[in-house]
């Protein structure tokens, strides 16, 4: 625990691009009048953490404490906080601030803030870097804190703060549901939650995957069909099959082939970020009035809606809980695809 006036907490950080994460101490600001101090219980490992630690996307700030899939317990609140009190189960996602005044923020779409949302880590705030959830505590403005309902365990809830809302938002926006044929590309940290959520919304769900190795899991999670995308015949057989395709993978794919799977007026939404630019033929769109779109997590209100939805239906992430000393090996396993389906760090181990 940290007491009044203390702001040094245990964490795991990377000192430079591709450096291993090691135990360290970081500062946390004093609790302001609208702030909430969380004791972090669990933090998920997102593939974004790995990209940022490796400097894959540029502009990385070191030393870096990753982590934006945070669940924990409220320890202290500022004098003007009304939504939370000590002991509440809460979470923090990909951003901890925004301008709160632009059109997008006023529409509860803070993730698209016109001035740019303040990322939970790897960003600058008032001249200091933000540090993420690979730590024992974090201080966050109450507006960006989410309530975790009792229907979800804190460990299973942590990945919902990024992976969960990343799939919920496009499924919600493009109205996945009863009578809608929905495909999820990839059955990883995002894709497995996409299957669960789409099925809970009432959609008929198909998983599109490069190999058949996860077919049994896909059906167990709620998919009714599984198509192996490495077989060109599967694309020919399934042309014009789907109202909505949610692409969760970060690899470049043949967009023309995938767009051909859409029905008239169908939409393919991309939430993964491939390493290289993609291209496609315009006839893949105009031939059936199809749309190619993208989606970035969700705003605070929608993220709370997602948590309430998941709790009411018993949806949580499929996880493997690890200690802090296993993070570097976990990174390697994520890159190798050797996790089913999300690593979650026990935050108590940051201080050991």
């Amino acid at each position: 625990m940290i007491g009044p006036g203390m702001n040094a907490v245990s964490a795991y950080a990377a000192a430079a691009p591709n450096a291993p994460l090691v135990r360290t101490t970081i500062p946390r600001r004093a609790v302001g009048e609208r702030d909430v101090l969380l004791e972090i219980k669990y933090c998920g490992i997102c593939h974004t953490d790995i990209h940022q630690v490796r400097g894959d996307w540029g502009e990385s700030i070191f030393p870096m404490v990753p982590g934006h899939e945070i669940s924990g317990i409220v320890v202290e609140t500022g004098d003007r906080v009304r939504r939370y009190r000590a002991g509440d189960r809460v979470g923090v996602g990909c951003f901890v601030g925004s301008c709160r005044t632009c059109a997008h923020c006023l529409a509860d779409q803070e993730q698209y803030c016109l001035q740019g949302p303040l990322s939970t880590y790897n960003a600058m705030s008032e001249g200091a870097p933000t540090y993420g959830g690979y730590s024992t505590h974090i201080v966050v403005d109450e507006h960006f804190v989410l309530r975790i309902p009792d229907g979800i365990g804190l460990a299973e809830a942590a990945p919902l703060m990024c992976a969960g809302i990343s799939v919920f938002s496009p499924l919600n926006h493009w109205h996945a549901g009863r009578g809608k044929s929905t495909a999820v590309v990839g059955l990883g940290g995002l894709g497995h939650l996409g299957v669960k959520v789409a099925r809970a919304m009432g959609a008929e769900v198909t998983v599109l995957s490069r190999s058949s190795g996860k077919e049994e899991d896909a059906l167990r999670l709620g998919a009714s069909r599984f198509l192996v995308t490495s077989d060109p015949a599967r694309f020919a057989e399934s042309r014009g099959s789907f109202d909505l395709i949610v692409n969760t993978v970060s690899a470049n794919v043949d967009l023309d082939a995938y767009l051909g799977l859409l029905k008239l007026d169908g939409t393919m939404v991309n939430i993964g970020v491939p390493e290289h630019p993609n291209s496609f033929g315009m006839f893949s769109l105009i031939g059936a009035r199809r749309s190619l779109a993208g989606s970035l997590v969700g705003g605070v209100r929608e993220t709370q809606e997602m948590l309430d939805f998941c709790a009411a239906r018993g949806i949580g992430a499929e996880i493997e809980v690890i200690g802090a000393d296993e993070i570097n090996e976990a990174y390697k396993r994520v890159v190798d695809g050797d996790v089913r389906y999300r690593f979650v760090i026990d935050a108590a181990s940051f201080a050991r």
Side-chain angles (χ1 to χ4, degrees):
M1 290 291 296
I2 58 176
M6 298 178 66
N7 65 353
V9 304
S10 296
Y12 262 63
N18 289 305
L21 283 92
V22 297
R23 184 176 285 108
T24 187
T25 300
I26 59 169
R28 291 296 191 193
R29 71 173 185 264
V31 177
E33 60 182 13
R34 295 189 182 277
D35 285 337
V36 175
L37 170 63
L38 284 67
E39 180 182 1
I40 298 173
K41 294 298 185 181
Y42 297 96
C43 186
I45 293 179
C46 177
H47 209 134
T48 295
D49 299 345
I50 301 172
H51 285 301
Q52 298 281 31
V53 165
R54 293 182 173 182
D56 292 343
W57 297 337
E59 300 183 359
S60 290
I61 303 168
F62 294 94
M64 181 189 297
V65 176
H68 57 211
E69 295 185 337
I70 300 166
S71 65
I73 302 294
V74 174
V75 174
E76 182 184 344
T77 61
D79 292 341
R80 299 184 67 181
V81 171
R82 297 293 179 264
R83 294 158 63 179
Y84 302 103
R85 61 183 180 180
D88 285 349
R89 293 156 37 95
V90 295
V92 176
C94 297
F95 51 91
V96 291
S98 70
C99 78
R100 309 277 295 277
T101 59
C102 73
H104 295 174
C105 287
L106 294 176
D108 297 315
Q109 300 286 342
E110 297 95 340
Q111 76 276 30
Y112 301 122
C113 175
L114 292 173
Q115 295 185 29
L118 178 65
S119 298
T120 304
Y121 71 91
N122 196 38
M124 296 298 293
S125 176
E126 298 181 355
T130 57
Y131 295 124
Y134 292 14
S135 58
T136 58
H137 296 78
I138 190 169
V139 179
V140 181
D141 183 296
E142 73 164 329
H143 180 80
F144 298 94
V145 176
L146 289 307
R147 186 176 301 279
I148 297 177
D150 290 337
I152 319 173
L154 288 178
E156 291 78 10
L160 300 182
M161 302 302 159
C162 172
I165 187 57
S166 290
V167 294
F168 181 89
S169 187
L171 290 168
N172 186 39
H173 182 78
W174 277 276
H175 307 296
R178 196 167 304 280
K180 293 288 187 73
S181 180
T182 299
V184 176
V185 183
L187 195 69
L190 278 72
H192 89 282
L193 285 168
V195 172
K196 287 187 174 188
V197 170
R199 182 70 184 87
M201 289 178 170
E204 177 186 338
V205 186
T206 299
V207 170
L208 308 179
S209 182
R210 289 175 298 176
S211 71
S212 61
K214 295 181 178 178
E215 181 172 3
E216 184 177 339
D217 277 4
L219 300 177
R220 173 179 62 83
L221 292 168
S224 56
R225 298 176 63 210
F226 188 95
L227 297 181
V228 179
T229 58
S230 57
D231 182 354
R234 301 287 80 81
F235 280 92
E237 295 169 0
S238 302
R239 284 189 64 83
S241 294
F242 304 112
D243 297 291
L244 177 65
I245 298 174
V246 178
N247 179 17
T248 72
V249 303
S250 296
N252 291 86
V253 301
D254 183 345
L255 287 177
D256 291 304
Y258 281 90
L259 289 167
L261 299 177
L262 291 170
K263 297 178 181 179
L264 176 68
D265 290 328
T267 300
M268 178 173 178
V269 186
N270 295 275
I271 57 179
V273 182
E275 182 179 358
H276 305 292
N278 260 21
S279 62
F280 63 94
M282 197 57 66
F283 279 108
S284 296
L285 295 183
I286 64 177
R289 203 163 58 195
R290 300 178 178 114
S291 299
L292 181 64
S295 180
L296 177 67
V297 292
V300 173
R301 180 178 57 80
E302 189 177 40
T303 303
Q304 188 63 62
E305 180 184 344
M306 176 273 302
L307 289 168
D308 295 340
F309 176 94
C310 289
R313 291 157 181 83
I315 296 174
E318 307 276 312
I319 61 171
E320 181 176 337
V321 178
I322 63 171
D325 59 351
E326 300 173 271
I327 292 173
N328 294 301
E329 176 60 24
Y331 273 26
K332 180 180 184 301
R333 287 180 57 190
V334 170
V335 173
D336 293 341
D338 180 26
V339 55
R340 294 193 178 184
Y341 282 91
R342 206 64 156 184
F343 284 118
V344 172
I345 310 163
D346 179 351
S349 64
F350 292 128
R352 291 177 191 149

